[in-house]
Amino acid sequence: MKPMSENPNIALVQRFFVAYAEHDLEKMREEILAPDVTWRIPGHHPLAGVKRGVDEILAYFGALPRANFQAEPIVIAAQGDYVIDVHRGWAAHGDASLDIEWVLLYRIAAGRIQE
């Protein structure tokens, strides 16, 4: 078994976090997200729902900086085609703020985030 630091699926998710932190949406499009990716955002807010395709997802990520949303990975683990990441997410916009820990499940296919 490869050490986790050498797992290509973990490396992909780590590259995603770097691109996200740098607001590099083109890197996400060209190197990280599958063209037909699906992203599910839970909750009852304007950004919640299922996003389908790289264009919808990049529009979602393009909207997050307006809320000053930031994320910091805590734990990333992989098994087969799946990666689980636990990260802290926080934002402040006007009088509203958010600071929680999230658990995300990624499905990787052909070297890209598929879901």
Side-chain angles (χ1 to χ4, degrees), residues 29 35 37 52-60:
R29 177 188 302 279
V37 62
R52 290 185 171 80
V54 73
D55 290 333
E56 281 188 22
I57 292 164
L58 292 181
Y60 165 74

Side-chain angles (χ1 to χ4, degrees), residues 33-55:
L33 300 174
D36 59 344
V37 62
T38 300
W39 204 271
R40 291 171 180 83
I41 300 96
H44 304 283
H45 51 83
L47 296 176
V50 178
K51 312 299 181 204
R52 290 185 171 80
V54 73
D55 290 333

Side-chain angles (χ1 to χ4, degrees), residues 41-105:
I41 300 96
H44 304 283
H45 51 83
L47 296 176
V50 178
K51 312 299 181 204
R52 290 185 171 80
V54 73
D55 290 333
E56 281 188 22
I57 292 164
L58 292 181
Y60 165 74
F61 285 122
L64 289 179
R66 285 181 264 163
N68 298 317
F69 187 82
Q70 298 179 57
E72 176 181 55
I74 298 169
V75 175
I76 300 177
Q79 179 70 38
D81 294 336
Y82 293 91
V83 174
I84 293 175
D85 112 59
V86 178
H87 68 270
R88 177 179 167 237
W90 68 96
H93 185 70
D95 292 336
S97 66
L98 171 76
D99 191 344
I100 62 173
E101 291 180 354
W102 303 76
V103 177
L104 297 181
L105 174 66

Side-chain angles (χ1 to χ4, degrees), residues 16 18-33 54-55 57-65:
F16 163 75
V18 170
Y20 175 80
E22 295 173 352
H23 305 290
D24 192 342
L25 302 182
E26 280 310 304
K27 180 178 271 187
M28 286 185 196
R29 177 188 302 279
E30 300 298 323
E31 300 177 16
I32 297 169
L33 300 174
V54 73
D55 290 333
I57 292 164
L58 292 181
Y60 165 74
F61 285 122
L64 289 179

